[in-house]
Amino acid sequence: MLRGSIDSSDYKNFIFGLLFLKRLSDRFHEEVEALRGVPNANPEDPDEHDFFVPKRARWSELQKVASQVGDALNKAASALEEANPQLEGVLAGIDFNDERKLGDAKNRDVVLGRLVQHFSKLSLENADLSEPDMLGRAYEYLIEKFADDAGKKGGEFYTPRMVVRLIVELLEPRVGMRICDPTAGSGGMLIECAHYLERHGQNPKDLSLYGQEKNLGTWAICKMNMLLHGLPSARIEKGDTIRDPKLRDKEGLMVFDRVIANPPFSLDEWGRDVAENDPYRRFEFGIPPKTKGDLAFVQHMIATTNEKGKVGVVMPHGVLFRGAAEGEIRKGILEQDLVEAVVGLPPNLFYGTGIPAAVLVLSRSKAAARRKKVLFIEASREFKEGSAQNYLREEDIKKIAATFKAFKEVDKYARIVGLEEIEKNDFNLNISRYVETTEAAERVEVAHALQKLRELEKKRGEAEARMNAYLKELGYDA
């Protein structure tokens, strides 16, 4: 009912907002019913609920609204935020009365009324979900579909799930860790860290999750995503990570056990003006070019990793070999022995860009056997081909992760390279320099080839003679 008339990058906010309102309202109703049988319990006491839903924000009230539906939804969202400080700003950026996107008052009432009735058919109470995280998974599914539909814009808030899965497998988060995504998008990388613990039989709530996101609409989606996945304690800040890092404590920048990100590729105007006088001293290896912010994000991630921490980050291939200022930064990072692995990814994995990408794994505390070495993995040839974009498969992820964990060489796939060799190559990390992928040319025996050629020439002569004989019989004698 919205598709076609509104750009998906716009209407996703309305869908996510309604889904969030319905979930909180249904959960509140479920808690109210449970409290009715508890002596001295007051179902209208905000302290009795995870989130208190004021009357005007309850779904049963919204269903009754026939006109000025957008106004009612805006007021419901505002009341919900006022009653729950932890939701501040989450719904404020959604204007259900936006004439530019939803049309005139009559059209808004029709479209939003139909959407409310559509969501009314769904019960989002815990009792009606097949598993506790079902709604969170459904929300992630919607985010993926909106990113697919939005094309280039989708890449601004969503990293393909299997790419996220790969990086998390390489970083191996553990119970008790503090994990940060400085360009959080819709929060998929942080949530996958929680899923990783679940898959290993551990409690995902034993992680401390942090993030920062510049785009306010995407920040709101991230906050909703965390809440719908049962991760309300995740701290997600609003703002520009390079110009104004918000994750700070009394010591300065907070530091983490794992820092994971897919920053915007080669961002123009990333904040060089601020970096030159950075109060947090994040750019010890050098200032990146004004029009390419890739290594600004990498240096921020390094600066916010603790002494035993690791970084997993998606980068365009240019970061591996570009010279000038970027070459000097890369040299400094390598000389401090921070680079543990470079993983080449298949082409066309990301929404909105066909730029070749790689995953860099950086470590502040390499195992003894890995020191002064870098593992190069050429994984760009193994993937599932799609019509619009390509995909990593489960077996591809397992192979990359197993190779990284074993830190072993695999013919035409992975190679361990000492820093001395990298230095001889002017600190170039281009994967093709180190992993030979071309098939060996078949050896040709000259004498045998000449003999075969003579045989073919003889056969051609015999065939030509027969053809001329037939032509002569038909009266076509040349």
Side-chain angles (χ1 to χ4, degrees):
M1 61 191 74
L2 290 176
R3 188 184 292 267
S5 59
I6 305 173
D7 191 283
S8 63
S9 62
D10 292 325
Y11 75 68
K12 73 177 186 297
N13 294 322
F14 302 122
I15 299 296
F16 290 149
L18 284 168
L19 177 65
F20 194 65
L21 283 170
K22 182 66 162 65
R23 164 60 176 172
L24 295 193
S25 182
D26 281 10
R27 182 67 188 127
F28 177 83
H29 177 264
E30 190 173 29
E31 290 171 344
V32 166
E33 292 301 309
L35 288 168
R36 293 196 190 283
V38 179
N40 302 318
N42 177 10
E44 293 295 324
D45 181 356
D47 291 336
E48 297 283 0
H49 301 276
D50 291 334
F51 297 97
F52 182 77
V53 181
K55 186 174 181 180
R56 74 186 313 162
R58 295 173 193 175
W59 203 260
S60 56
E61 296 297 313
L62 293 173
Q63 279 183 280
K64 300 174 185 176
V65 179
S67 63
Q68 296 185 311
V69 180
D71 188 54
L73 289 168
N74 281 347
K75 289 177 178 176
S78 179
L80 194 60
E81 287 195 16
E82 287 176 11
N84 301 276
Q86 66 269 49
L87 298 180
E88 182 181 357
V90 172
L91 294 165
I94 305 172
D95 182 6
F96 291 99
N97 253 344
D98 193 330
E99 187 173 349
R100 296 167 303 161
K101 296 172 183 173
L102 293 170
D104 59 25
K106 182 178 179 181
N107 189 67
R108 291 199 299 275
D109 281 344
V110 171
V111 171
L112 292 173
R114 288 173 64 193
L115 279 171
V116 169
Q117 295 311 314
H118 177 76
F119 274 98
S120 298
K121 299 173 184 177
L122 306 173
S123 173
L124 302 181
E125 296 183 1
N126 282 355
D128 293 311
L129 301 177
S130 60
E131 57 173 294
D133 193 34
M134 176 57 72
L135 191 61
R137 293 180 189 277
Y139 194 77
E140 280 285 292
Y141 172 82
L142 282 175
I143 290 172
E144 180 177 4
K145 293 305 172 187
F146 277 120
D148 190 20
D149 195 40
K152 185 174 182 178
K153 289 184 179 180
E156 296 175 6
F157 62 88
Y158 181 77
T159 302
R161 184 175 58 86
M162 295 304 271
V163 176
V164 177
R165 175 86 176 268
L166 168 64
I167 301 173
V168 173
E169 288 288 334
L170 297 177
L171 292 183
E172 297 181 281
R174 296 192 297 275
V175 165
M177 283 187 169
R178 292 206 307 190
I179 299 177
C180 179
D181 183 346
T183 58
S186 56
M189 289 195 168
L190 296 174
I191 288 166
E192 182 57 32
C193 289
H195 287 331
Y196 180 90
L197 259 64
E198 284 183 310
R199 289 197 296 273
H200 289 79
Q202 297 171 319
N203 186 352
K205 293 184 179 179
D206 288 338
L207 285 177
S208 298
L209 302 177
Y210 299 81
Q212 184 165 339
E213 172 54 41
K214 180 179 178 180
N215 183 288
L216 297 186
T218 305
W219 171 85
I221 292 172
C222 182
K223 288 283 286 185
M224 287 186 242
N225 204 5
M226 294 296 164
L227 292 167
L228 292 174
H229 277 88
L231 300 166
S233 62
R235 177 181 165 186
I236 311 297
E237 296 287 347
K238 289 179 280 190
D240 187 318
T241 288
I242 300 298
R243 289 185 169 87
D244 185 19
K246 296 288 182 65
L247 295 167
R248 303 189 301 266
D249 54 26
K250 61 183 180 181
E251 304 296 327
L253 293 176
M254 294 178 66
V255 293
F256 305 93
D257 300 287
R258 298 287 186 268
V259 185
I260 181 171
N262 176 20
F265 286 1
S266 301
L267 183 65
D268 195 1
E269 299 296 335
W270 54 270
R272 183 188 170 99
D273 52 329
V274 173
E276 289 174 345
N277 296 290
D278 180 50
Y280 306 105
R281 301 180 185 178
R282 289 172 291 174
F283 307 104
E284 64 170 300
F285 301 110
I287 308 295
K290 183 179 179 181
T291 57
K292 288 184 171 61
D294 305 299
L295 289 174
F297 289 103
V298 170
Q299 289 189 84
H300 169 85
M301 296 173 77
I302 292 171
T304 55
T305 304
N306 66 28
E307 68 279 0
K308 292 186 178 180
K310 285 192 176 188
V311 169
V313 60
V314 181
M315 283 280 118
H317 271 220
V319 165
L320 304 178
F321 57 80
R322 288 193 296 248
E326 291 180 293
E328 287 301 311
I329 294 168
R330 192 170 57 250
K331 174 184 175 183
I333 292 172
L334 283 161
E335 286 179 337
Q336 283 202 15
D337 199 17
L338 294 173
V339 182
E340 187 165 6
V342 180
V343 181
L345 296 176
N348 200 29
L349 287 181
F350 298 89
Y351 294 101
T353 180
I355 296 174
V359 172
L360 302 183
V361 180
L362 311 176
S363 176
R364 281 198 175 275
S365 181
K366 288 185 181 180
R370 302 186 179 206
R371 290 174 192 158
K372 304 287 186 183
K373 299 171 186 173
V374 177
L375 174 65
F376 290 86
I377 300 177
E378 173 51 282
S380 67
R381 295 169 298 165
E382 300 179 5
F383 58 91
K384 175 185 176 183
E385 191 170 352
S387 56
Q389 64 187 111
N390 298 325
Y391 305 89
L392 282 173
R393 300 162 298 186
E394 186 72 31
E395 59 263 36
D396 303 326
I397 292 172
K398 286 182 177 178
K399 182 176 179 180
I400 296 168
T403 304
F404 174 76
K405 290 170 187 176
F407 209 72
K408 65 179 181 181
E409 297 194 346
V410 179
D411 188 41
K412 295 184 175 58
Y413 183 77
R415 182 169 168 241
I416 299 167
V417 181
L419 286 183
E420 311 84 31
E421 181 177 344
I422 295 171
E423 183 177 359
K424 288 177 182 175
N425 285 322
D426 293 325
F427 299 97
N428 189 314
L429 293 178
N430 205 353
I431 301 168
S432 61
R433 276 183 177 253
Y434 304 103
V435 182
E436 176 61 53
T437 58
T438 55
E439 296 296 331
E442 184 179 351
R443 186 176 178 181
V444 177
E445 292 288 347
V446 177
H448 177 73
L450 284 173
Q451 182 183 350
K452 193 169 184 181
L453 178 62
R454 299 288 180 261
E455 290 173 357
L456 290 172
E457 287 176 339
K458 181 181 178 183
K459 288 180 180 178
R460 185 188 67 180
E462 291 171 350
E464 187 176 359
R466 285 196 300 272
M467 180 184 72
N468 289 335
Y470 292 141
L471 288 172
K472 187 174 182 179
E473 287 178 17
L474 293 170
Y476 292 102
D477 190 2

